């Protein structure tokens, strides 16, 4: 309908007629029209010049609005320049609203009291505004609330004890307001994320909140739990029941005194042991450093790992090892040449490569990969293909296509070697290893947490690499996307590796390695569609966000794969439990996290035509990256 040339009055009349029509003939649409009118009133009050909502299209198409069953269920307008007070009869009339996100705007005044009518509300993100007044009591009647974020506002008064009514609450963020008084005895069984830092609270931390970390209570002189003993309080180690009310002046029994004495001695002994161990470790480290200059290990050359260099002896390792070091062998090997890609200087030959010291990096789907250090000090990764029975002509054609691929997010193939018995691929060496080892290796202490920024930039880089592969031809695909094929440069930039190998060699039918990543429709691993790549990438995204290896999910959850596990947990509204523990501190971007998770779920749709294309995936991740940068600037 193009009403552009009609006068304003006529357009309004048409709109009114449309609403009347909808009101008369369709009850569901009438509600949607009502929602639309409420939203327009809201826009008029706080976002007249900033919300580009077009009344000639359905409210469900308006930016920030999501519908389900013809009702508005979510309104997300983060950082949109909204300003002023939200009037009654606007948001409060959206009775099916489940998510309201107005974070990082300039909204002020009290919350509209008719928000109490949004009984379906589960997620309420209002952080980073100028809302004032007390935390309204009606919030306690929104019994579906899972997430409540009122941080960085101007709320004052006490924290209402009635919040205990919100039994499903998993997130309660109230930091950086002007709340005063004591923290009430909150007892919320599902509370995972809690923060009341930088208010004007005093007194002691209530018992049920003492398991929260100290940085949930920053910037105030509170006591108890993570903040240390309150005046007159007894150490919980000495009083095993631990439930002594603060400042209780009860007389200590003989048993309690004995407990204190034993406890003190035990703590002292433990400290001694720890000190002793620390000293020993330091001594050892020092000793190790002093001999570091001369590593005692014997170097293994690449040819010593059993590579057949031109003899066709079926790779019987010990025999060739002896033969290879003799002069005629070297002469023969020299005839066989490495084929290089690109125009760079050919700074090594096959003989240099075979002489290089070798160290196993990993045994992958297609064979073993070695880190080879050439005599010049140059490092390369050499992949020795297993079971590559592809005819030579076909092999060379396919490998030439792989070598011709050139993109900053692909691991470059420098050269290859092909003989009847041996196929070697020489790649750039990626010093930081794979995403798989970064995510799942060294989960113990001393691990550097993988930040949200690094995770999104890895997702972005991998998506761009795959998008590039898909752009080379309508049928081109990677065929084996998984976290061990995403490698990292020394500056933690991600690059996709092993591209094209699935088509070159084919995964053996029994190979279980790719199982957790393989799209349900894939039967022939040599013919993997682009949409199957998208599925695998979706699993990779879920892995990046949950920190769970797809194979691990397969084992632990009784045959439930990672996508289905994520969906089941998200369905239960426990989105925060889905995420890797290391991501829980990124509260300001939790919506972006939830959206990236949703993207992963969309990519792993059962039917290929329901999955987005890689270009759509790239665009979405770019948008999320932009929006999380904006949020962190606030
Ligand atoms: C509103 O939507 C109609 C129908 O899609 C379109 O013709 C019109 O140009 C849009 N108006 C604006 C301001 O975008
Ligand atoms: C909101 O709902 C109330 C009562 O149902 C109604 O009187 C009011 O007109 C509605 N507001 C808008 C903007 O539609
Ligand atoms: C607690 O929740 C119930 C519904 O679950 C509601 O009827 C009641 O009014 C709420 N109490 C307070 C103090 O908000
Ligand atoms: C915060 O609220 C108080 C009243 O509760 C008001 O006096 C003050 O101006 C508000 N500050 C801001 C920055 O809105
Ligand atoms: C906390 O501060 C209030 C004043 O804001 C005061 O009345 C109260 O006694 C204080 N409580 C404690 C335990 O210090
Ligand atoms: C609580 O908020 C403060 C201020 O934003 C922050 O420094 C602290 O890390 C947060 N603590 C938790 C547990 O989220």
């Amino acid at each position: 309908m193009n009403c552009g040339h009609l006068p304003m009055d006529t357009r309004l009349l048409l709109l009114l007629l449309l609403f009347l029509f909808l009101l008369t003939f369709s009850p569901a649409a009438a509600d949607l029209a009502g929602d639309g009118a409420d939203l327009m009133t809201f826009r008029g009050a706080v976002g007249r010049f900033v919300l580009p909502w077009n009344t000639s299209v359905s409210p469900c198409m308006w930016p920030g609005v999501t519908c389900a069953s013809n009702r508005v269920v979510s309104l997300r307008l983060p950082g949109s320049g909204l300003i002023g007070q939200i009037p009654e009869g606007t948001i409060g009339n959206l009775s099916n609203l489940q998510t309201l996100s107005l974070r990082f705007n300039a909204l002020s005044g009290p919350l509209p009291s008719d928000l109490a009518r949004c009984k379906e509300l589960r997620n309420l993100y209002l952080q980073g505004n100028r809302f004032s007044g007390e935390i309204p009591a009606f919030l306690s009647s929104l019994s579906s609330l899972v997430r409540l974020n009122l941080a960085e506002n101007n709320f004052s008064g006490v924290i209402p004890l009635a919040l205990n009514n919100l039994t499903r609450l998993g997130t309660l963020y109230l930091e950086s307001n002007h709340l005063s008084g004591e923290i009430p005895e909150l007892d919320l069984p599902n509370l995972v994320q809690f923060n009341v830092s930088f208010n004007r609270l005093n007194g002691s931390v209530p018992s049920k909140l003492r398991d929260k970390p100290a940085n949930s209570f920053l910037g105030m002189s509170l006591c108890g739990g993570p903040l240390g003993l309150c005046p007159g309080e007894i150490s919980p180690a000495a009083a095993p029941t631990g439930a002594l009310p603060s400042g209780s002046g009860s007389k200590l029994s003989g048993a309690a005194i004995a407990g204190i004495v034993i406890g003190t001695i035990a703590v002292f002994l433990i400290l001694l042991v720890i000190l002793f161990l620390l000293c020993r470790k330091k001594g050892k480290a020092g000793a190790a450093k002093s001999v570091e200059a001369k590593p005692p290990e014997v170097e293994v050359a690449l040819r010593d790992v059993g590579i057949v260099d031109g003899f066709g002896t079926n790779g019987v390792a010990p025999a060739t090892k002896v033969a290879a070091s003799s002069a005629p062998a070297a002469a023969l090997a020299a005839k066989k040449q490495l084929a290089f890609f690109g125009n760079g200087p050919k700074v090594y030959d096959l003989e240099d490569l075979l002489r290089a010291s070798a160290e196993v990096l990993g045994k992958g789907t297609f064979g073993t990969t070695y880190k080879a250090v050439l005599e010049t000090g140059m490092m390369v990764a050499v992949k020795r293909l297993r079971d590559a029975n592809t005819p030579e002509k076909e092999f060379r054609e396919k490998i030439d296509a792989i070598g011709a691929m050139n993109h900053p997010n692909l691991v470059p193939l420098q050269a290859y070697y092909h003989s009847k018995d041996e196929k070697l691929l020489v790649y750039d060496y990626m010093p930081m290893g794979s995403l798989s080892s970064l995510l799942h290796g060294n989960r113990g202490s001393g691990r550097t947490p993988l930040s949200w920024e690094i995770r999104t930039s890895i997702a972005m880089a991998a998506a761009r690499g795959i998008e590039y592969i898909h752009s080379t031809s309508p049928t081109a695909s990677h065929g084996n996307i998984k976290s061990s094929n995403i490698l990292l440069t020394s500056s933690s930039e991600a690059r996709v590796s092993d591209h094209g190998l699935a088509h070159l060699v084919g995964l053996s039918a029994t190979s279980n390695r790719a199982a957790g990543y393989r799209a349900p429709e894939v039967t022939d691993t040599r013919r993997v569609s682009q949409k199957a790549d998208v599925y695998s990438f979706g699993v990779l995204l879920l892995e990046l966000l949950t920190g769970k290896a797809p194979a691990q999910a397969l084992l632990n959850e009784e045959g439930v794969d990672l996508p289905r596990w994520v969906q089941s947990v998200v369905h239960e509204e426990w989105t925060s439990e889905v995420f890797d523990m290391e991501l829980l501190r990124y509260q300001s971007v939790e919506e972006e996290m939830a959206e990236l998770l949703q993207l992963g779920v969309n990519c792993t749709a059962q039917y290929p035509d329901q999955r987005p294309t890689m270009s759509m995936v790239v665009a979405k991740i770019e948008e999320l990256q932009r929006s999380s940068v904006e949020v962190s600037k606030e």
Side-chain angles (χ1 to χ4, degrees):
M1 191 162 64
N2 186 359
C3 319
H5 59 280
L6 293 177
M8 193 66 180
D9 297 353
T10 326
R11 268 194 279 172
L12 276 179
L13 193 70
L14 272 177
L15 203 64
L16 200 67
L17 280 175
L18 184 71
F19 279 157
L20 278 179
F21 172 83
L22 292 172
L23 271 175
T24 326
F25 292 106
S26 147
D31 288 340
L32 182 58
D35 286 355
D38 298 333
L39 285 172
M40 283 316 284
T41 316
F42 170 78
R43 177 180 181 273
V46 299
R48 189 182 298 276
F49 305 109
V50 292
L51 296 178
W53 289 347
N54 185 344
T55 42
S56 356
V57 298
S58 154
C60 303
M61 315 273 287
W62 296 351
V65 179
T66 317
C67 296
S69 313
N70 248 331
R71 291 298 308 272
V72 171
V73 293
S74 118
L75 180 62
R76 294 172 183 270
L77 300 168
S80 302
L82 306 178
I83 184 160
Q85 191 166 343
I86 305 175
E88 309 268 321
T90 58
I91 307 271
N93 275 22
L94 304 171
S95 54
N96 282 33
L97 202 63
Q98 294 174 3
T99 297
L100 177 61
S101 167
L102 301 174
R103 65 199 164 103
F104 300 116
N105 281 292
L107 298 166
S108 53
L111 296 183
S113 64
D114 63 354
L115 203 57
R117 288 163 52 197
C118 302
K119 291 287 183 229
E120 304 285 315
L121 210 52
R122 291 171 204 191
N123 307 304
L124 185 54
Y125 304 100
L126 300 176
Q127 70 267 35
N129 281 287
R130 297 174 197 152
F131 289 115
S132 57
E134 303 209 336
I135 294 179
F138 68 75
L139 285 181
S140 324
S141 67
L142 300 175
S143 53
S144 306
L145 270 186
V146 177
R147 302 224 189 185
L148 177 57
N149 195 334
L150 304 178
E152 296 172 59
N153 275 291
N154 190 15
F155 286 109
S156 51
V158 298
I159 301 174
L161 178 62
L163 290 178
N164 274 339
N165 215 14
L166 303 175
T167 50
R168 301 187 64 197
L169 206 61
T171 303
L172 179 60
Y173 284 142
L174 301 174
E175 70 268 22
S176 305
N177 277 288
H178 298 125
L179 301 168
S180 55
E182 296 191 33
I183 305 175
E185 282 286 341
L186 290 181
D187 181 8
L188 296 161
N190 292 315
L191 197 64
V192 185
Q193 299 172 298
F194 177 76
N195 202 340
V196 291
S197 299
F198 304 111
N199 278 289
R200 295 169 184 163
L201 302 166
N202 61 8
S204 65
V205 175
S207 55
K208 291 286 178 14
L209 294 173
R210 293 197 168 186
D211 60 335
K212 302 296 178 235
N215 67 358
S216 295
F217 308 94
L218 296 176
M220 297 168 295
S221 49
L222 297 168
C223 65
L227 309 173
L229 297 180
C230 290
E233 208 177 37
I234 298 166
S235 149
T241 47
L244 283 180
S246 69
S248 80
S250 61
K251 276 198 172 169
L252 297 177
S253 67
I257 292 175
I260 292 175
V261 173
I262 293 171
T264 315
I265 293 176
V267 167
F268 183 72
L269 280 178
I270 290 171
L271 275 177
L272 258 180
V273 170
I274 290 176
L275 254 173
F276 176 66
L277 285 179
L278 272 178
C279 290
R280 254 181 46 155
K281 211 170 171 189
K282 261 213 178 123
K284 260 193 184 166
K289 236 180 205 157
S290 66
V291 295
E292 217 168 49
K294 289 178 204 156
E297 321 136 33
V298 182
E299 273 198 0
V300 179
L302 193 57
R303 70 155 41 98
D304 292 339
V305 300
I307 287 178
V308 188
D309 46 358
F311 294 97
T313 45
N314 289 330
V316 187
T320 49
K321 186 176 161 186
V322 176
S325 48
S326 64
L332 263 177
K335 280 185 197 157
K336 290 280 186 172
Q337 288 298 318
L338 283 172
F340 281 87
F341 296 106
N343 308 321
K346 296 165 182 45
V347 289
Y348 56 89
D349 60 19
L350 182 62
E351 184 52 30
D352 293 334
L353 199 63
L354 292 174
R355 260 202 316 256
S357 73
E359 179 191 318
V360 175
L361 284 176
K363 295 192 191 331
T365 318
F366 305 109
T368 307
T369 306
Y370 302 88
K371 168 186 170 183
V373 184
L374 298 163
E375 276 172 345
T376 58
M378 181 185 181
M379 286 182 252
V380 291
V382 179
K383 187 180 282 286
R384 188 181 179 203
L385 292 184
R386 184 191 326 122
D387 308 328
N389 302 321
T390 320
E392 178 164 352
K393 185 161 174 289
E394 189 187 337
F395 183 92
R396 289 194 191 274
E397 273 170 19
K398 287 186 169 172
I399 203 90
D400 282 345
I402 298 173
M405 287 192 183
N406 177 15
H407 188 269
N409 298 119
L410 294 184
V411 178
L413 179 60
Q414 296 181 357
Y416 75 94
Y417 168 77
H418 179 281
S419 74
K420 190 166 142 287
D421 303 294
E422 204 65 64
K423 280 113 196 138
L424 304 178
L425 305 182
V426 187
Y427 289 97
D428 279 13
Y429 173 64
M430 296 287 124
M432 299 288 282
S434 74
L435 173 61
S436 176
S437 63
L438 201 63
L439 271 179
H440 313 300
N442 179 27
R443 270 273 161 175
S445 61
R447 171 185 161 83
T448 319
L450 209 50
S451 72
W452 162 252
E453 290 76 18
I454 292 190
R455 287 182 209 231
T456 42
S457 78
I458 289 175
M460 187 73 256
R464 286 204 177 115
I466 303 167
E467 183 194 26
Y468 167 77
I469 296 173
H470 288 188
S471 73
T472 56
S473 112
T475 54
S477 70
H478 181 286
N480 193 22
I481 301 289
K482 54 182 181 175
S483 59
S484 52
N485 278 343
I486 307 297
L487 306 183
L488 297 141
T489 66
S490 50
S491 50
S492 286
E493 282 165 52
R495 295 190 176 170
V496 178
S497 81
D498 272 22
H499 43 288
L501 298 192
H503 307 278
L504 187 66
V505 182
L507 299 177
S508 82
T510 52
S511 163
N512 229 3
R513 284 171 184 275
Y517 296 90
R518 191 181 299 151
E521 75 275 9
V522 172
T523 47
D524 180 352
T525 54
R526 279 184 192 236
R527 282 172 227 285
V528 174
S529 70
Q530 296 191 342
K531 284 297 173 84
D533 269 358
V534 172
Y535 182 97
S536 309
F537 180 77
V539 178
L540 185 90
L541 269 186
L542 299 180
E543 181 179 5
L544 202 55
L545 289 169
T546 61
K548 286 189 166 32
Q552 173 193 339
L554 270 176
L555 292 178
N556 292 352
E557 309 285 334
E558 292 164 17
V560 175
D561 61 11
L562 190 55
R564 268 185 292 162
W565 178 75
V566 168
Q567 281 175 50
S568 67
V569 182
V570 170
H571 189 70
E572 297 286 314
E573 292 290 335
W574 282 113
T575 317
S576 63
E577 296 206 336
V578 158
F579 292 109
D580 191 338
M581 290 298 286
E582 292 178 0
L583 285 174
L584 286 186
R585 64 199 180 96
Y586 295 94
Q587 34 166 303
S588 61
V589 292
E590 59 193 353
E591 275 184 76
E592 283 78 10
M593 275 161 55
E595 284 193 53
L596 196 57
L597 193 76
Q598 186 60 49
L599 182 63
V601 169
N602 294 349
C603 289
T604 53
Q606 174 87 16
Y607 300 106
D609 53 353
Q610 290 172 351
R611 298 174 202 147
T613 64
M614 240 18 242
S615 306
M616 288 155 82
V617 169
V618 166
K620 182 71 193 176
I621 302 177
E622 273 170 356
E623 179 194 322
L624 290 178
Q625 254 184 334
R626 264 199 309 275
S627 121
S628 41
V629 169
E630 269 164 31
V631 167
S632 61
K633 269 194 300 203
E634 296 274 343

